[in-house]
């Protein structure tokens, strides 16, 4: 990568890692469903003026939006409200890589290579270490489980993205922007039935500068700018070069949570974190390493 693009890559890693800290701040002001609904409403309202409507069929847009946008963040915001620390959430959410592989085998009939099976096993082992450690009382089993559910929803969204791309439709920032109108509806419906109309109205009328700054960060910086730069890098470099950048997100998330939220991680959980990262690295680079070994032997 040239120096300018390396700077863009760093912006993405920091923006997406710090994203979890901003989510925590947002949940201090808004309920999970209201935060989700307002986030995607802002993306749709502002983004539609700058991005053209994709030609993707409506049903595919709905499936993509309900899994990647509504499912992922409904579970994630709820998890963080029910005892999932922001730093650990940034790491556990990367379980989407495991679920994506599993869903690709079950739904797309893709084949999994031996190194990917090993990577899944290693990552699951690390997640188990994190999930069953009781030394850190700040993390609850419910929060951990909901974060895994968020990861599985993200993975299902990845499958929709693959199918949409294979059919020759748009699966880029245009789709992200225009599909944001869809999750706002179930988010607000859930807010009505879970929180009640009085709480919804209170969240709206009590919007302050902190809340608006949170929504601006989540909507404009982390989503529009973040995914815009991500699409730019993917258009200039191979996916194998760009994809490993996401490994830096939980590193920023964990570090930022310790600095800004005073979150602590137990020794056992740090071991689990390192094991998960090892599994993710193996999944990302395993094919490349095997190719180099086979070429060297030949």
């Amino acid at each position: 990568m040239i120096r300018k693009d390396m700077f863009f890559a760093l912006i993405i890693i920091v923006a997406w890692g710090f994203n979890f800290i901003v989510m925590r701040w947002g949940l201090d002001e808004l309920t999970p469903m209201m935060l989700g609904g307002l986030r995607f409403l802002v993306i749709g309202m502002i983004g539609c003026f700058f991005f053209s409507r994709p030609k993707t069929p409506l049903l595919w847009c709905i499936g993509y939006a309900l899994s990647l946008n509504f499912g992922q963040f409904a579970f994630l915001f709820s998890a963080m409200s029910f005892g999932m620390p922001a730093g650990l959430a940034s790491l556990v959410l990367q379980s989407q890589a495991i679920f994506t592989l599993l869903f690709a085998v079950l739904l797309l009939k893709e084949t999994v290579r031996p190194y990917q099976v090993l990577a899944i096993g290693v990552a699951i082992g690390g997640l188990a270490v994190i999930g069953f450690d009781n030394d850190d009382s700040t993390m609850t089993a419910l929060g951990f489980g909901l974060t895994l559910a968020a990861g599985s929803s993200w993975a299902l969204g990845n499958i929709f993205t693959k199918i949409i791309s294979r059919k020759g439709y748009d699966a880029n920032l245009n789709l992200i922007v225009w599909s944001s109108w869809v999750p706002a509806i179930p988010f607000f419906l859930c807010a009505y039935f879970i929180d009640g109309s009085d709480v919804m109205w209170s969240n709206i009328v009590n919007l302050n500068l902190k809340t608006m700054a949170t929504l601006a960060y989540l909507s404009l910086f982390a989503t529009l700018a973040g995914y815009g730069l991500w699409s730019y890098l993917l258009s200039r470099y191979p996916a194998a070069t760009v994809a490993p950048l996401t490994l830096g997100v939980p590193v920023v998330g964990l570090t930022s949570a310790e600095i800004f939220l005073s979150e602590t991680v137990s020794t056992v959980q740090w071991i689990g974190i390192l094991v998960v990262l090892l599994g993710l690295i193996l999944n990302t680079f395993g094919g490349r390493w095997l190719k180099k070994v086979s070429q060297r032997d030949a």
Side-chain angles (χ1 to χ4, degrees):
M1 281 189 185
I2 62 175
R3 186 172 300 176
K4 180 189 71 173
D5 291 345
M6 291 179 64
F7 177 69
F8 287 157
L10 181 62
I11 290 177
I12 294 172
I13 294 171
V14 173
W16 287 353
F18 194 71
N19 198 31
F20 290 85
I21 313 305
V22 178
M23 289 178 191
R24 178 64 270 166
W25 289 338
L27 290 168
D28 291 337
E29 306 292 328
L30 300 170
T31 66
M33 298 302 121
M34 286 299 291
L35 178 60
L38 290 172
R39 172 188 182 174
F40 287 103
L41 185 62
V42 171
I43 295 173
M45 291 179 63
I46 296 179
C48 68
F49 290 104
F50 301 96
F51 298 92
S52 59
R53 187 166 63 87
K55 297 180 181 179
T56 309
L58 181 60
L59 285 178
W60 289 116
C61 285
I62 293 175
Y64 169 89
L66 290 180
S67 55
L68 191 67
N69 296 339
F70 174 68
Q72 178 187 177
F73 290 102
F75 284 127
L76 179 60
F77 290 164
S78 297
M80 294 176 69
S81 293
F82 287 108
M84 188 63 183
L88 283 177
S90 70
L91 185 280
V92 176
L93 190 64
Q94 300 306 315
S95 62
Q96 59 87 16
I98 302 171
F99 288 115
T100 299
L101 282 175
L102 296 176
F103 290 160
V105 172
L106 295 174
L107 302 176
L108 302 180
K109 308 303 179 184
E110 292 185 358
T111 57
V112 177
R113 298 176 180 179
Y115 77 86
Q116 292 176 312
V117 176
L118 177 60
I120 290 175
V122 171
I124 289 176
L127 289 171
V129 171
I130 295 171
F132 289 105
D133 177 53
N134 294 319
D135 291 342
D136 183 8
S137 59
T138 61
M139 187 189 76
T140 64
L142 177 59
F144 181 75
L146 287 171
T147 307
L148 289 177
S152 67
S153 295
W154 182 358
L156 191 58
N158 291 339
I159 299 302
F160 272 104
T161 302
K162 283 192 173 188
I163 295 174
I164 290 170
S165 297
R166 288 181 181 181
K167 290 182 175 293
Y169 298 118
D170 293 330
N172 50 24
L173 195 56
N174 294 341
L175 178 62
I176 293 174
V177 168
W178 283 87
S179 65
S180 295
W181 292 102
V182 176
I185 298 172
F187 266 121
F188 288 134
L189 285 175
C190 287
Y192 178 79
F193 289 106
I194 296 174
D195 305 323
S197 58
D198 291 341
V199 174
M200 289 181 67
W201 181 246
S202 176
N203 277 187
I204 294 173
V205 298
N206 291 316
L207 286 175
N208 52 39
L209 287 177
K210 178 183 176 181
T211 310
M212 289 187 284
T214 297
L215 291 171
Y217 185 98
L218 296 177
S219 306
L220 306 181
F221 191 51
T223 302
L224 294 182
Y227 281 103
L229 290 174
W230 182 260
S231 299
Y232 165 78
L233 292 179
L234 284 174
S235 69
R236 292 177 59 89
Y237 301 97
T241 300
V242 180
L245 295 175
T246 58
L247 295 174
V249 172
V251 176
V252 175
L254 287 161
T255 305
S256 300
E258 185 173 357
I259 295 173
F260 293 96
L261 301 177
S262 300
E263 291 184 359
T264 58
V265 179
S266 70
T267 302
V268 174
Q269 287 176 334
W270 271 119
I271 295 173
I273 288 167
L274 293 176
V275 173
V276 172
L277 288 175
L278 176 62
L280 295 174
I281 291 171
L282 181 60
N283 178 61
T284 303
F285 297 104
R288 203 181 308 178
W289 291 339
L290 287 176
K291 186 177 180 179
K292 288 183 178 180
V293 170
S294 61
Q295 289 175 347
R296 190 178 304 167
D297 293 341

